[in-house]
PDB file of all heavy atoms in Angstrom:
ATOM      1  N   GLY Q  34     201.150   9.645 152.529  1.00  0.00           N
ATOM      2  CA  GLY Q  34     201.610   9.352 153.946  1.00  0.00           C
ATOM      3  C   GLY Q  34     201.155   8.046 154.338  1.00  0.00           C
ATOM      4  O   GLY Q  34     201.751   7.333 155.176  1.00  0.00           O
ATOM      5  N   LEU Q  35     200.003   7.529 153.813  1.00  0.00           N
ATOM      6  CA  LEU Q  35     199.514   6.220 154.111  1.00  0.00           C
ATOM      7  C   LEU Q  35     200.240   5.120 153.348  1.00  0.00           C
ATOM      8  O   LEU Q  35     200.683   4.042 153.794  1.00  0.00           O
ATOM      9  CB  LEU Q  35     198.053   6.083 153.882  1.00  0.00           C
ATOM     10  CG  LEU Q  35     197.093   6.818 154.853  1.00  0.00           C
ATOM     11  CD1 LEU Q  35     195.689   6.828 154.287  1.00  0.00           C
ATOM     12  CD2 LEU Q  35     197.080   6.183 156.174  1.00  0.00           C
ATOM     13  N   ALA Q  36     200.408   5.429 152.044  1.00  0.00           N
ATOM     14  CA  ALA Q  36     200.990   4.383 151.142  1.00  0.00           C
ATOM     15  C   ALA Q  36     202.475   4.323 150.954  1.00  0.00           C
ATOM     16  O   ALA Q  36     203.063   3.199 150.825  1.00  0.00           O
ATOM     17  CB  ALA Q  36     200.277   4.579 149.773  1.00  0.00           C
ATOM     18  N   ALA Q  37     203.136   5.465 150.951  1.00  0.00           N
ATOM     19  CA  ALA Q  37     204.568   5.516 150.635  1.00  0.00           C
ATOM     20  C   ALA Q  37     205.445   4.703 151.663  1.00  0.00           C
ATOM     21  O   ALA Q  37     206.290   3.907 151.246  1.00  0.00           O
ATOM     22  CB  ALA Q  37     205.107   6.926 150.581  1.00  0.00           C
ATOM     23  N   PRO Q  38     205.200   4.885 152.947  1.00  0.00           N
ATOM     24  CA  PRO Q  38     206.078   4.049 153.912  1.00  0.00           C
ATOM     25  C   PRO Q  38     205.767   2.572 153.747  1.00  0.00           C
ATOM     26  O   PRO Q  38     206.712   1.698 153.866  1.00  0.00           O
ATOM     27  CB  PRO Q  38     205.511   4.528 155.271  1.00  0.00           C
ATOM     28  CG  PRO Q  38     205.009   5.877 155.062  1.00  0.00           C
ATOM     29  CD  PRO Q  38     204.413   5.819 153.679  1.00  0.00           C
ATOM     30  N   PHE Q  39     204.541   2.148 153.397  1.00  0.00           N
ATOM     31  CA  PHE Q  39     204.253   0.805 153.182  1.00  0.00           C
ATOM     32  C   PHE Q  39     204.972   0.207 151.994  1.00  0.00           C
ATOM     33  O   PHE Q  39     205.716  -0.838 151.992  1.00  0.00           O
ATOM     34  CB  PHE Q  39     202.696   0.597 152.914  1.00  0.00           C
ATOM     35  CG  PHE Q  39     202.329  -0.786 152.296  1.00  0.00           C
ATOM     36  CD1 PHE Q  39     202.282  -1.905 153.181  1.00  0.00           C
ATOM     37  CD2 PHE Q  39     202.124  -0.956 150.990  1.00  0.00           C
ATOM     38  CE1 PHE Q  39     201.954  -3.142 152.685  1.00  0.00           C
ATOM     39  CE2 PHE Q  39     201.768  -2.160 150.431  1.00  0.00           C
ATOM     40  CZ  PHE Q  39     201.678  -3.253 151.289  1.00  0.00           C
ATOM     41  N   LEU Q  40     204.963   0.954 150.837  1.00  0.00           N
ATOM     42  CA  LEU Q  40     205.649   0.528 149.595  1.00  0.00           C
ATOM     43  C   LEU Q  40     207.180   0.464 149.835  1.00  0.00           C
ATOM     44  O   LEU Q  40     207.791  -0.488 149.399  1.00  0.00           O
ATOM     45  CB  LEU Q  40     205.327   1.476 148.471  1.00  0.00           C
ATOM     46  CG  LEU Q  40     203.820   1.435 148.078  1.00  0.00           C
ATOM     47  CD1 LEU Q  40     203.547   2.558 147.076  1.00  0.00           C
ATOM     48  CD2 LEU Q  40     203.410   0.035 147.567  1.00  0.00           C
ATOM     49  N   VAL Q  41     207.712   1.477 150.568  1.00  0.00           N
ATOM     50  CA  VAL Q  41     209.191   1.499 150.739  1.00  0.00           C
ATOM     51  C   VAL Q  41     209.563   0.350 151.646  1.00  0.00           C
ATOM     52  O   VAL Q  41     210.609  -0.361 151.420  1.00  0.00           O
ATOM     53  CB  VAL Q  41     209.616   2.900 151.314  1.00  0.00           C
ATOM     54  CG1 VAL Q  41     211.119   2.772 151.732  1.00  0.00           C
ATOM     55  CG2 VAL Q  41     209.423   3.972 150.289  1.00  0.00           C
ATOM     56  N   ALA Q  42     208.881   0.156 152.742  1.00  0.00           N
ATOM     57  CA  ALA Q  42     209.216  -0.937 153.589  1.00  0.00           C
ATOM     58  C   ALA Q  42     209.074  -2.336 152.949  1.00  0.00           C
ATOM     59  O   ALA Q  42     209.862  -3.228 153.097  1.00  0.00           O
ATOM     60  CB  ALA Q  42     208.264  -0.934 154.781  1.00  0.00           C
ATOM     61  N   LEU Q  43     208.047  -2.466 152.063  1.00  0.00           N
ATOM     62  CA  LEU Q  43     207.911  -3.628 151.322  1.00  0.00           C
ATOM     63  C   LEU Q  43     209.084  -3.843 150.347  1.00  0.00           C
ATOM     64  O   LEU Q  43     209.560  -4.995 150.174  1.00  0.00           O
ATOM     65  CB  LEU Q  43     206.533  -3.627 150.527  1.00  0.00           C
ATOM     66  CG  LEU Q  43     206.169  -4.841 149.702  1.00  0.00           C
ATOM     67  CD1 LEU Q  43     205.943  -6.033 150.614  1.00  0.00           C
ATOM     68  CD2 LEU Q  43     204.860  -4.540 148.924  1.00  0.00           C
ATOM     69  N   ALA Q  44     209.596  -2.736 149.756  1.00  0.00           N
ATOM     70  CA  ALA Q  44     210.709  -2.846 148.868  1.00  0.00           C
ATOM     71  C   ALA Q  44     211.951  -3.176 149.507  1.00  0.00           C
ATOM     72  O   ALA Q  44     212.887  -3.771 148.944  1.00  0.00           O
ATOM     73  CB  ALA Q  44     210.892  -1.580 148.120  1.00  0.00           C
ATOM     74  N   LEU Q  45     212.025  -2.970 150.858  1.00  0.00           N
ATOM     75  CA  LEU Q  45     213.261  -3.296 151.667  1.00  0.00           C
ATOM     76  C   LEU Q  45     213.227  -4.752 152.161  1.00  0.00           C
ATOM     77  O   LEU Q  45     214.274  -5.179 152.685  1.00  0.00           O
ATOM     78  CB  LEU Q  45     213.345  -2.384 152.882  1.00  0.00           C
ATOM     79  CG  LEU Q  45     213.637  -0.916 152.490  1.00  0.00           C
ATOM     80  CD1 LEU Q  45     213.641  -0.055 153.807  1.00  0.00           C
ATOM     81  CD2 LEU Q  45     215.003  -0.716 151.801  1.00  0.00           C
ATOM     82  N   VAL Q  46     212.099  -5.449 151.967  1.00  0.00           N
ATOM     83  CA  VAL Q  46     211.953  -6.855 152.578  1.00  0.00           C
ATOM     84  C   VAL Q  46     213.113  -7.748 151.978  1.00  0.00           C
ATOM     85  O   VAL Q  46     213.638  -8.437 152.795  1.00  0.00           O
ATOM     86  CB  VAL Q  46     210.600  -7.401 152.194  1.00  0.00           C
ATOM     87  CG1 VAL Q  46     210.549  -8.887 152.400  1.00  0.00           C
ATOM     88  CG2 VAL Q  46     209.523  -6.690 153.045  1.00  0.00           C
ATOM     89  N   PRO Q  47     213.425  -7.679 150.676  1.00  0.00           N
ATOM     90  CA  PRO Q  47     214.522  -8.625 150.252  1.00  0.00           C
ATOM     91  C   PRO Q  47     215.834  -8.324 150.887  1.00  0.00           C
ATOM     92  O   PRO Q  47     216.769  -9.183 150.826  1.00  0.00           O
ATOM     93  CB  PRO Q  47     214.597  -8.367 148.706  1.00  0.00           C
ATOM     94  CG  PRO Q  47     213.201  -7.803 148.356  1.00  0.00           C
ATOM     95  CD  PRO Q  47     212.836  -6.984 149.589  1.00  0.00           C
ATOM     96  N   PHE Q  48     216.059  -7.179 151.421  1.00  0.00           N
ATOM     97  CA  PHE Q  48     217.303  -6.741 152.022  1.00  0.00           C
ATOM     98  C   PHE Q  48     217.312  -6.794 153.521  1.00  0.00           C
ATOM     99  O   PHE Q  48     218.271  -6.296 154.213  1.00  0.00           O
ATOM    100  CB  PHE Q  48     217.755  -5.469 151.512  1.00  0.00           C
ATOM    101  CG  PHE Q  48     217.604  -5.234 150.044  1.00  0.00           C
ATOM    102  CD1 PHE Q  48     216.551  -4.548 149.413  1.00  0.00           C
ATOM    103  CD2 PHE Q  48     218.569  -5.726 149.178  1.00  0.00           C
ATOM    104  CE1 PHE Q  48     216.359  -4.418 148.108  1.00  0.00           C
ATOM    105  CE2 PHE Q  48     218.466  -5.612 147.828  1.00  0.00           C
ATOM    106  CZ  PHE Q  48     217.332  -4.954 147.298  1.00  0.00           C
ATOM    107  N   ARG Q  49     216.245  -7.243 154.148  1.00  0.00           N
ATOM    108  CA  ARG Q  49     216.025  -7.054 155.598  1.00  0.00           C
ATOM    109  C   ARG Q  49     217.036  -7.883 156.488  1.00  0.00           C
ATOM    110  O   ARG Q  49     217.366  -7.518 157.567  1.00  0.00           O
ATOM    111  CB  ARG Q  49     214.623  -7.379 155.989  1.00  0.00           C
ATOM    112  CG  ARG Q  49     214.152  -8.793 155.841  1.00  0.00           C
ATOM    113  CD  ARG Q  49     212.713  -8.897 156.087  1.00  0.00           C
ATOM    114  NE  ARG Q  49     212.167 -10.221 155.764  1.00  0.00           N
ATOM    115  CZ  ARG Q  49     210.837 -10.518 155.708  1.00  0.00           C
ATOM    116  NH1 ARG Q  49     209.932  -9.611 155.946  1.00  0.00           N
ATOM    117  NH2 ARG Q  49     210.447 -11.752 155.482  1.00  0.00           N
ATOM    118  N   THR Q  50     217.572  -8.932 155.836  1.00  0.00           N
ATOM    119  CA  THR Q  50     218.629  -9.657 156.664  1.00  0.00           C
ATOM    120  C   THR Q  50     220.023  -9.011 156.559  1.00  0.00           C
ATOM    121  O   THR Q  50     220.825  -9.271 157.412  1.00  0.00           O
ATOM    122  CB  THR Q  50     218.634 -11.155 156.153  1.00  0.00           C
ATOM    123  OG1 THR Q  50     218.955 -11.122 154.707  1.00  0.00           O
ATOM    124  CG2 THR Q  50     217.366 -11.795 156.349  1.00  0.00           C
ATOM    125  N   SER Q  51     220.250  -8.240 155.500  1.00  0.00           N
ATOM    126  CA  SER Q  51     221.584  -7.654 155.345  1.00  0.00           C
ATOM    127  C   SER Q  51     221.603  -6.144 155.717  1.00  0.00           C
ATOM    128  O   SER Q  51     222.649  -5.679 156.011  1.00  0.00           O
ATOM    129  CB  SER Q  51     222.073  -7.818 153.906  1.00  0.00           C
ATOM    130  OG  SER Q  51     221.142  -7.276 152.973  1.00  0.00           O
ATOM    131  N   LEU Q  52     220.446  -5.545 155.617  1.00  0.00           N
ATOM    132  CA  LEU Q  52     220.321  -4.166 155.953  1.00  0.00           C
ATOM    133  C   LEU Q  52     220.137  -3.908 157.468  1.00  0.00           C
ATOM    134  O   LEU Q  52     219.239  -4.503 158.029  1.00  0.00           O
ATOM    135  CB  LEU Q  52     219.198  -3.515 155.141  1.00  0.00           C
ATOM    136  CG  LEU Q  52     218.961  -1.994 155.187  1.00  0.00           C
ATOM    137  CD1 LEU Q  52     220.149  -1.210 154.570  1.00  0.00           C
ATOM    138  CD2 LEU Q  52     217.677  -1.631 154.583  1.00  0.00           C
ATOM    139  N   SER Q  53     220.936  -3.009 158.059  1.00  0.00           N
ATOM    140  CA  SER Q  53     220.723  -2.788 159.420  1.00  0.00           C
ATOM    141  C   SER Q  53     219.366  -2.078 159.740  1.00  0.00           C
ATOM    142  O   SER Q  53     218.907  -1.328 158.807  1.00  0.00           O
ATOM    143  CB  SER Q  53     221.882  -1.934 160.007  1.00  0.00           C
ATOM    144  OG  SER Q  53     221.748  -0.620 159.541  1.00  0.00           O
ATOM    145  N   HIS Q  54     218.835  -2.306 160.844  1.00  0.00           N
ATOM    146  CA  HIS Q  54     217.567  -1.735 161.153  1.00  0.00           C
ATOM    147  C   HIS Q  54     217.613  -0.187 161.179  1.00  0.00           C
ATOM    148  O   HIS Q  54     216.728   0.565 160.917  1.00  0.00           O
ATOM    149  CB  HIS Q  54     217.005  -2.312 162.479  1.00  0.00           C
ATOM    150  CG  HIS Q  54     216.523  -3.704 162.328  1.00  0.00           C
ATOM    151  ND1 HIS Q  54     216.232  -4.534 163.434  1.00  0.00           N
ATOM    152  CD2 HIS Q  54     216.350  -4.380 161.254  1.00  0.00           C
ATOM    153  CE1 HIS Q  54     215.836  -5.722 163.009  1.00  0.00           C
ATOM    154  NE2 HIS Q  54     215.879  -5.665 161.659  1.00  0.00           N
ATOM    155  N   THR Q  55     218.827   0.291 161.687  1.00  0.00           N
ATOM    156  CA  THR Q  55     219.071   1.700 161.757  1.00  0.00           C
ATOM    157  C   THR Q  55     218.966   2.316 160.375  1.00  0.00           C
ATOM    158  O   THR Q  55     218.311   3.339 160.169  1.00  0.00           O
ATOM    159  CB  THR Q  55     220.360   2.059 162.357  1.00  0.00           C
ATOM    160  OG1 THR Q  55     220.401   1.522 163.696  1.00  0.00           O
ATOM    161  CG2 THR Q  55     220.588   3.559 162.387  1.00  0.00           C
ATOM    162  N   ASN Q  56     219.619   1.679 159.374  1.00  0.00           N
ATOM    163  CA  ASN Q  56     219.625   2.202 157.969  1.00  0.00           C
ATOM    164  C   ASN Q  56     218.187   2.144 157.451  1.00  0.00           C
ATOM    165  O   ASN Q  56     217.751   3.080 156.718  1.00  0.00           O
ATOM    166  CB  ASN Q  56     220.592   1.507 157.131  1.00  0.00           C
ATOM    167  CG  ASN Q  56     222.071   1.783 157.508  1.00  0.00           C
ATOM    168  OD1 ASN Q  56     222.315   2.877 158.026  1.00  0.00           O
ATOM    169  ND2 ASN Q  56     223.013   0.977 157.170  1.00  0.00           N
TER     170      ASN Q  56
END
Side-chain angles (χ1 to χ4, degrees):
L35 289 168
F39 167 79
L40 295 174
V41 172
L43 185 62
L45 293 176
V46 167
F48 312 101
R49 63 188 175 191
T50 57
S51 59
L52 183 68
S53 72
H54 289 167
T55 300
N56 288 337

